[in-house]
Amino acid sequence: LPPPPPGPLTSNGTKLVYDRNHPWKPLRKGDIRGPCPGLNTLASHGYLPRDGVASPSQIITAVQEGFNMDSGLARFVTYGAHLVDGNLVTDLLSIGGKTKKTGKDAPPPAIIGGLNTHRVFEGDSSMTRGDDFFGDNHSFNQTLFDQFVEYSNRFGGGSYNITVAAELRHRRIQESIASNPEFDFTSPRFFTAFAESTFPYAFFVDGRISNRTSAALDMTNATLFFRDSKFPRDFWRPPAPTGAIGIIEIFSAYPIAPGRNVGAVNTYTPDPTSADFGNFCLLYTNFVNNTVKSLYPDPKGVLRRNLILNLRYFYGGIAGGGCEEIFPYGQI
Ligand code: HEM
Ligand code: MG
């Protein structure tokens, strides 16, 4: 049985996380990394299995322990990713590309392709990774990182802060509209894009700096996280459990409706069926009823049981948020 998720940290203050027990190590042949600099870094320091294949429980433990991610957010994001990208029978998820290490696949249309899988979770207009349309949605992209640095210089005095986050988020969306005929900015990508724009100042800044909304990430340390999957020397995690702080400010600087280009560049068309910030519960219901259901239309046996359990753990991340729980595969 997939075990219930680990609870919140009992000791949840800042502490040294680049410690003796978590040395950075270079990749060995076959080790997997992907589009998430947070998980890549945790794997390269041994907070996650260094091969880049982990269970949801291991991921939740690691993001809480290493980055003090809020436990509700950690659950919601981890089970969301696992439901669409992971192997629900073996309880294993690749943090990058598809691999035999996650075990025998369920039949198609299930993908079980790891976090690199486009559209179900990974999406367009990432800050340091290219759009899937251009051929690589997961590797560190130096050209995009140069733009990250340029924006940090222009709007943040050389560091990435909330002001830079708003400007760069807008810039990446405009770039994708103008260059990617398949640009898709509907839910869940609509939410993950704004959330991830907060993560560099929310999580990658040393925890001994206590004012997190004014936190700023310098470019030396940004390079370590985004490119090298490496904590800065003597790195301490945030001082309290942390989520996507400032996400509404970033969205509000340049509000946009969820939508997509419809087969050509500069054809961005709003999609009123997509969830947005005014209708958060629709993120949950559409993800379950559309995305998960399309991958698993008619599961049987252990697969169905594990879908039910993982959907319950997923909902647990937002329980208390006022959304009604749904049971597309019934209840056990
Ligand atoms: C991006 C998964 C936790 C930082 C991503 C992406 C995925 C992902 C699939 C790619 C989305 C895209 O840009 O297209 C996860 C999962 C997590 C997790 C399953 C489990 C809780 C974290 C944590 C941090 C983090 C704890 C920071 C410490 C980031 C950042 C990006 C990102 C900054 C954007 C990269 C960019 O735009 O270039 N994550 N993530 N993530 N993640 Fe995570
Ligand atoms: Mg992406």
Side-chain angles (χ1 to χ4, degrees), residues 35-39 59 63 67 69 74 77-78 81 115 121-123 126-129 189 196 199-200 203-204 226:
C36 177
L39 298 182
I59 293 173
V63 299
F67 283 116
M69 183 178 260
V77 175
T78 300
L115 294 185
F121 190 124
E122 186 283 326
S126 303
M127 294 179 285
T128 69
R129 271 66 176 166
R189 181 57 186 155
E196 288 157 15
F199 289 178
F203 293 111
F204 292 160
F226 280 100

Side-chain angles (χ1 to χ4, degrees), residues 55-134:
S55 72
S57 293
Q58 287 176 315
I59 293 173
I60 290 166
T61 299
V63 299
Q64 294 188 156
E65 192 62 27
F67 283 116
N68 216 346
M69 183 178 260
D70 165 79
S71 101
L73 179 64
R75 283 185 205 192
F76 191 64
V77 175
T78 300
Y79 287 104
H82 186 53
L83 279 160
V84 296
D85 290 335
N87 188 317
L88 301 172
V89 172
T90 61
D91 205 35
L92 290 171
L93 171 66
S94 159
I95 67 168
K98 189 171 179 65
T99 169
K100 287 192 163 62
K101 284 187 177 176
T102 51
K104 186 176 180 297
D105 283 351
I111 303 171
I112 317 176
L115 294 185
N116 288 0
T117 309
H118 182 52
R119 281 181 63 94
V120 289
F121 190 124
E122 186 283 326
D124 293 328
S125 78
S126 303
M127 294 179 285
T128 69
R129 271 66 176 166
D131 284 6
D132 189 62
F133 177 78
F134 302 111

Side-chain angles (χ1 to χ4, degrees), residues 28-53:
R28 305 157 304 186
K29 192 171 178 304
D31 285 351
I32 295 169
R33 297 293 179 269
C36 177
L39 298 182
N40 289 349
T41 299
L42 292 167
S44 288
H45 284 274
Y47 279 97
L48 283 173
R50 291 180 185 271
D51 66 358
V53 176

